[in-house]
């Protein structure tokens, strides 16, 4: 590890800028090649790595893209870098719909990804439910431009409608009609944001990180407003940080608008997601 940066990141960077594979890097056979083609010049590559070390720019921003599920996604400082943990939101949704008594209706319904950012969740939903219509909402015009590009690059632009606005406000024409609402909202308490790793605190958009005093400002809004937009047995799912799911589950129950409220663990065993269904 150099400058608190894992050495494996060098391999990650090289594999995305050069036509090489991980095996040749591990075996050291790359050194036997007379030359290696690159998408950038050697001085440019050196400059990129200096940015990674000196200013802690996330390597995904340096390259301009990242992988998430089966997708290659463009990313920039206008959007959060999609994390592997968030991939579970698609798996949880697929499982919930499969066991729903109105499964077929949900699979063919209208779904909303609120705070879409790079569009990752919207693309995941469009792939999971080929007959569904996906609404991808974000308040950031720059984020929506990236999400639209990702949908086009992955052949899903005809399945997703991109809408600029705050949470559910621009979706009033779909009140009572949504099959599901998914969101990875800002959930980090304001005081904690500056203490995060410099890759996050200094480079990722605070609009997508800062969740207010206790981190749940936007989540409370989603709890209170979503029930008016979901159809009966419609699905509700958010990603949170550790220790927040029990609080959110209690808030959902208090409205009496939701049923089958569940908390779910991430890949590391940390309870990170809360799901519910709109009461009948």
């Amino acid at each position: 590890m150099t400058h608190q940066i894992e050495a494996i990141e060098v391999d990650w960077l090289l594999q995305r800028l050069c036509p090489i594979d991980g095996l040749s890097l591990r075996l050291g056979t790359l050194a036997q090649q007379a030359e290696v083609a690159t998408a950038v010049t050697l001085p440019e590559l050196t400059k990129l790595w200096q940015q990674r070390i000196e200013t802690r720019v996330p390597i995904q921003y340096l390259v301009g893209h990242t992988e998430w599920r089966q997708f290659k996604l463009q990313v920039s400082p206008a959007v959060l870098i999609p994390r592997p943990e968030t991939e579970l939101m698609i798996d949880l949704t697929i499982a919930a719909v499969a066991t729903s008594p109105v499964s077929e209706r949900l699979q063919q319904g209208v779904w909303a990804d609120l705070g879409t950012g790079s569009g990752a969740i919207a693309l995941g939903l469009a792939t999971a439910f080929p007959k569904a219509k996906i609404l991808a909402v974000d308040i950031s015009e720059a984020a929506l431009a990236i999400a639209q590009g990702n949908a086009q690059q992955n052949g899903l632009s005809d399945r997703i409608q991109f809408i600029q606005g705050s949470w559910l406000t621009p979706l009033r024409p779909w009140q009572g009609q949504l099959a599901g609402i998914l969101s990875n909202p800002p959930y980090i308490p304001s005081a904690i944001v500056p203490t995060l790793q410099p890759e996050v605190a200094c480079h990722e958009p605070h609009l997508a990180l800062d969740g207010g005093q206790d981190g749940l400002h936007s989540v409370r809004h989603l709890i209170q407003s979503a029930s008016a937009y979901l159809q009966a047995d419609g699905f509700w799912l958010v990603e949170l940080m550790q220790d927040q799911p029990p609080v959110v589950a209690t808030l959902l129950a208090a409205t009496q608008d939701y049923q089958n409220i569940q908390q779910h663990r991430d890949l590391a065993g940390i309870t990170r997601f809360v799901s519910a269904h709109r009461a009948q």
Side-chain angles (χ1 to χ4, degrees):
M1 184 182 293
T2 304
H3 297 273
Q4 296 184 322
I5 296 171
E6 297 286 347
I8 196 172
E9 286 198 22
V10 177
D11 291 356
W12 195 94
L13 181 65
L14 288 174
Q15 288 180 73
R16 280 146 188 84
L17 296 177
C18 310
I20 57 179
D21 56 45
L23 182 60
S24 64
L25 287 170
R26 288 194 298 273
L27 297 179
T29 56
L30 185 64
Q32 300 171 12
Q33 298 184 31
E35 60 181 32
V36 177
T38 64
V40 298
T41 65
L42 184 58
E44 289 172 334
L45 182 61
T46 302
K47 186 177 179 180
L48 287 175
W49 189 246
Q50 286 176 334
Q51 286 182 271
R52 179 72 190 103
I53 293 174
E54 295 171 6
T55 59
R56 302 290 289 274
V57 177
I59 197 166
Q60 295 91 339
Y61 288 160
L62 293 176
V63 174
H65 66 264
T66 191
E67 291 80 31
W68 191 85
R69 291 183 77 86
Q70 70 267 47
F71 308 113
K72 180 179 179 180
L73 301 177
Q74 177 191 356
V75 292
S76 83
V79 300
L80 286 180
I81 299 165
R83 267 64 170 184
E85 292 81 7
T86 307
E87 296 184 18
L88 286 176
M89 294 187 72
I90 305 303
D91 298 320
L92 290 169
T93 302
I94 292 171
V97 169
T99 57
S100 169
V102 292
S103 177
E104 186 173 351
R105 172 156 57 86
L106 295 181
Q107 291 182 49
Q108 300 178 26
V110 180
W111 289 77
D113 170 21
L114 304 181
T116 193
S118 66
I121 292 174
L123 268 63
L125 287 172
T127 303
F129 305 127
K131 296 182 180 180
K133 177 183 178 65
I134 314 300
L135 308 175
V137 180
D138 206 292
I139 198 169
S140 167
E141 184 177 355
L144 280 177
I146 289 176
Q148 286 178 295
N150 283 329
Q152 185 173 8
Q153 179 178 318
N154 288 280
L156 293 167
S157 55
D158 62 328
R159 301 275 320 288
I160 305 172
Q161 181 176 346
F162 295 92
I163 304 171
Q164 186 174 9
S166 177
W167 303 121
L168 285 155
T169 302
L171 302 188
R172 288 186 179 128
W174 289 276
Q175 283 191 4
Q177 301 177 41
L178 296 182
I181 293 172
L182 275 68
S183 183
N184 181 10
Y187 53 69
I188 300 172
S190 301
I192 294 179
V193 173
T195 72
L196 298 172
Q197 293 177 317
E199 287 84 352
V200 179
C202 300
H203 298 286
E204 297 201 68
H206 283 211
L207 181 66
L209 295 170
D210 192 335
Q213 185 174 358
D214 66 352
L216 295 177
H217 175 76
S218 296
V219 177
R220 286 192 180 87
H221 173 73
L222 293 177
I223 291 171
Q224 294 297 326
S225 59
S227 60
Y229 288 79
L230 287 168
Q231 58 183 253
D233 208 44
F235 188 61
W236 187 95
L237 175 65
V238 297
E239 179 174 330
L240 303 160
M241 69 183 296
Q242 191 172 13
D243 299 329
Q244 289 177 340
V247 177
V248 171
T250 300
L251 292 172
L252 283 164
T255 67
Q256 299 186 332
D257 290 330
Y258 302 92
Q259 60 190 14
N260 193 22
I261 300 167
Q262 297 184 52
Q263 302 174 49
H264 309 273
R265 298 180 185 275
D266 67 9
L267 298 170
I270 298 170
T271 304
R272 185 179 291 275
F273 310 98
V274 176
S275 67
H277 291 260
R278 178 71 168 89
Q280 298 286 344

mmCIF file of all heavy atoms in Angstrom, residues 78-95:
data_model
loop_
_atom_site.group_PDB
_atom_site.id
_atom_site.type_symbol
_atom_site.label_atom_id
_atom_site.label_comp_id
_atom_site.label_asym_id
_atom_site.label_seq_id
_atom_site.Cartn_x
_atom_site.Cartn_y
_atom_site.Cartn_z
ATOM 1 N N ALA A 78 -19.811 14.431 -10.889
ATOM 2 C CA ALA A 78 -21.221 14.819 -10.815
ATOM 3 C C ALA A 78 -22.087 13.722 -10.214
ATOM 4 O O ALA A 78 -23.239 13.982 -9.839
ATOM 5 C CB ALA A 78 -21.744 15.183 -12.203
ATOM 6 N N VAL A 79 -21.536 12.503 -10.119
ATOM 7 C CA VAL A 79 -22.329 11.378 -9.608
ATOM 8 C C VAL A 79 -21.496 10.553 -8.626
ATOM 9 O O VAL A 79 -20.269 10.515 -8.708
ATOM 10 C CB VAL A 79 -22.818 10.456 -10.751
ATOM 11 C CG1 VAL A 79 -23.697 11.231 -11.719
ATOM 12 C CG2 VAL A 79 -21.651 9.805 -11.482
ATOM 13 N N LEU A 80 -22.194 9.893 -7.712
ATOM 14 C CA LEU A 80 -21.527 8.932 -6.841
ATOM 15 C C LEU A 80 -20.997 7.763 -7.669
ATOM 16 O O LEU A 80 -21.600 7.392 -8.681
ATOM 17 C CB LEU A 80 -22.503 8.375 -5.800
ATOM 18 C CG LEU A 80 -22.927 9.256 -4.623
ATOM 19 C CD1 LEU A 80 -23.882 8.477 -3.737
ATOM 20 C CD2 LEU A 80 -21.722 9.716 -3.825
ATOM 21 N N ILE A 81 -19.903 7.195 -7.225
ATOM 22 C CA ILE A 81 -19.393 5.984 -7.853
ATOM 23 C C ILE A 81 -20.238 4.809 -7.355
ATOM 24 O O ILE A 81 -20.322 4.572 -6.147
ATOM 25 C CB ILE A 81 -17.919 5.767 -7.495
ATOM 26 C CG1 ILE A 81 -17.069 6.942 -8.006
ATOM 27 C CG2 ILE A 81 -17.412 4.447 -8.061
ATOM 28 C CD1 ILE A 81 -15.689 6.995 -7.409
ATOM 29 N N PRO A 82 -20.916 4.077 -8.221
ATOM 30 C CA PRO A 82 -21.759 2.961 -7.774
ATOM 31 C C PRO A 82 -20.934 1.909 -7.029
ATOM 32 O O PRO A 82 -19.875 1.490 -7.502
ATOM 33 C CB PRO A 82 -22.329 2.394 -9.077
ATOM 34 C CG PRO A 82 -22.186 3.493 -10.070
ATOM 35 C CD PRO A 82 -20.955 4.243 -9.686
ATOM 36 N N ARG A 83 -21.427 1.490 -5.860
ATOM 37 C CA ARG A 83 -20.722 0.507 -5.039
ATOM 38 C C ARG A 83 -21.287 -0.895 -5.258
ATOM 39 O O ARG A 83 -22.471 -1.053 -5.593
ATOM 40 C CB ARG A 83 -20.876 0.866 -3.563
ATOM 41 C CG ARG A 83 -19.782 1.720 -2.969
ATOM 42 C CD ARG A 83 -19.686 3.083 -3.561
ATOM 43 N NE ARG A 83 -18.756 3.924 -2.777
ATOM 44 C CZ ARG A 83 -18.533 5.197 -3.035
ATOM 45 N NH1 ARG A 83 -19.160 5.795 -4.036
ATOM 46 N NH2 ARG A 83 -17.678 5.896 -2.296
ATOM 47 N N PRO A 84 -20.464 -1.916 -5.008
ATOM 48 C CA PRO A 84 -20.947 -3.302 -5.124
ATOM 49 C C PRO A 84 -22.131 -3.583 -4.202
ATOM 50 O O PRO A 84 -23.023 -4.362 -4.568
ATOM 51 C CB PRO A 84 -19.726 -4.131 -4.726
ATOM 52 C CG PRO A 84 -18.551 -3.262 -5.032
ATOM 53 C CD PRO A 84 -19.009 -1.866 -4.744
ATOM 54 N N GLU A 85 -22.154 -2.942 -3.019
ATOM 55 C CA GLU A 85 -23.255 -3.185 -2.081
ATOM 56 C C GLU A 85 -24.605 -2.823 -2.692
ATOM 57 O O GLU A 85 -25.619 -3.486 -2.449
ATOM 58 C CB GLU A 85 -23.050 -2.381 -0.791
ATOM 59 C CG GLU A 85 -21.880 -2.841 0.062
ATOM 60 C CD GLU A 85 -20.554 -2.303 -0.433
ATOM 61 O OE1 GLU A 85 -20.551 -1.465 -1.364
ATOM 62 O OE2 GLU A 85 -19.504 -2.727 0.096
ATOM 63 N N THR A 86 -24.609 -1.750 -3.485
ATOM 64 C CA THR A 86 -25.866 -1.286 -4.068
ATOM 65 C C THR A 86 -26.422 -2.274 -5.087
ATOM 66 O O THR A 86 -27.624 -2.275 -5.374
ATOM 67 C CB THR A 86 -25.661 0.102 -4.703
ATOM 68 O OG1 THR A 86 -25.070 0.978 -3.726
ATOM 69 C CG2 THR A 86 -26.979 0.717 -5.148
ATOM 70 N N GLU A 87 -25.574 -3.133 -5.632
ATOM 71 C CA GLU A 87 -26.049 -4.165 -6.561
ATOM 72 C C GLU A 87 -27.115 -5.040 -5.909
ATOM 73 O O GLU A 87 -28.018 -5.554 -6.583
ATOM 74 C CB GLU A 87 -24.888 -5.033 -7.039
ATOM 75 C CG GLU A 87 -23.838 -4.287 -7.857
ATOM 76 C CD GLU A 87 -22.762 -5.208 -8.388
ATOM 77 O OE1 GLU A 87 -22.979 -6.435 -8.418
ATOM 78 O OE2 GLU A 87 -21.702 -4.698 -8.804
ATOM 79 N N LEU A 88 -27.020 -5.204 -4.592
ATOM 80 C CA LEU A 88 -27.980 -6.051 -3.878
ATOM 81 C C LEU A 88 -29.398 -5.495 -3.944
ATOM 82 O O LEU A 88 -30.370 -6.241 -3.774
ATOM 83 C CB LEU A 88 -27.560 -6.206 -2.415
ATOM 84 C CG LEU A 88 -26.359 -7.117 -2.155
ATOM 85 C CD1 LEU A 88 -25.992 -7.103 -0.683
ATOM 86 C CD2 LEU A 88 -26.651 -8.536 -2.613
ATOM 87 N N MET A 89 -29.537 -4.199 -4.192
ATOM 88 C CA MET A 89 -30.882 -3.624 -4.288
ATOM 89 C C MET A 89 -31.656 -4.273 -5.432
ATOM 90 O O MET A 89 -32.874 -4.499 -5.312
ATOM 91 C CB MET A 89 -30.807 -2.109 -4.480
ATOM 92 C CG MET A 89 -30.236 -1.363 -3.278
ATOM 93 S SD MET A 89 -30.338 0.437 -3.431
ATOM 94 C CE MET A 89 -32.099 0.706 -3.201
ATOM 95 N N ILE A 90 -30.969 -4.576 -6.518
ATOM 96 C CA ILE A 90 -31.645 -5.228 -7.642
ATOM 97 C C ILE A 90 -32.018 -6.662 -7.279
ATOM 98 O O ILE A 90 -33.131 -7.128 -7.562
ATOM 99 C CB ILE A 90 -30.754 -5.200 -8.897
ATOM 100 C CG1 ILE A 90 -30.338 -3.764 -9.231
ATOM 101 C CG2 ILE A 90 -31.486 -5.836 -10.078
ATOM 102 C CD1 ILE A 90 -31.481 -2.809 -9.435
ATOM 103 N N ASP A 91 -31.105 -7.364 -6.616
ATOM 104 C CA ASP A 91 -31.390 -8.744 -6.214
ATOM 105 C C ASP A 91 -32.545 -8.803 -5.216
ATOM 106 O O ASP A 91 -33.410 -9.691 -5.300
ATOM 107 C CB ASP A 91 -30.138 -9.376 -5.599
ATOM 108 C CG ASP A 91 -28.981 -9.450 -6.590
ATOM 109 O OD1 ASP A 91 -29.237 -9.761 -7.766
ATOM 110 O OD2 ASP A 91 -27.841 -9.181 -6.192
ATOM 111 N N LEU A 92 -32.564 -7.878 -4.254
ATOM 112 C CA LEU A 92 -33.655 -7.840 -3.276
ATOM 113 C C LEU A 92 -34.988 -7.551 -3.953
ATOM 114 O O LEU A 92 -36.024 -8.117 -3.588
ATOM 115 C CB LEU A 92 -33.363 -6.774 -2.212
ATOM 116 C CG LEU A 92 -32.215 -7.071 -1.249
ATOM 117 C CD1 LEU A 92 -31.866 -5.833 -0.430
ATOM 118 C CD2 LEU A 92 -32.586 -8.228 -0.313
ATOM 119 N N THR A 93 -34.959 -6.671 -4.945
ATOM 120 C CA THR A 93 -36.190 -6.326 -5.663
ATOM 121 C C THR A 93 -36.708 -7.512 -6.464
ATOM 122 O O THR A 93 -37.910 -7.816 -6.445
ATOM 123 C CB THR A 93 -35.944 -5.124 -6.585
ATOM 124 O OG1 THR A 93 -35.479 -4.014 -5.817
ATOM 125 C CG2 THR A 93 -37.216 -4.737 -7.320
ATOM 126 N N ILE A 94 -35.828 -8.189 -7.148
ATOM 127 C CA ILE A 94 -36.229 -9.366 -7.931
ATOM 128 C C ILE A 94 -36.864 -10.418 -7.024
ATOM 129 O O ILE A 94 -37.907 -11.005 -7.352
ATOM 130 C CB ILE A 94 -35.009 -9.957 -8.675
ATOM 131 C CG1 ILE A 94 -34.533 -8.989 -9.764
ATOM 132 C CG2 ILE A 94 -35.348 -11.318 -9.276
ATOM 133 C CD1 ILE A 94 -33.215 -9.382 -10.404
ATOM 134 N N ALA A 95 -36.239 -10.647 -5.870
ATOM 135 C CA ALA A 95 -36.763 -11.650 -4.928
ATOM 136 C C ALA A 95 -38.118 -11.241 -4.380
ATOM 137 O O ALA A 95 -39.028 -12.076 -4.251
ATOM 138 C CB ALA A 95 -35.764 -11.847 -3.795
#
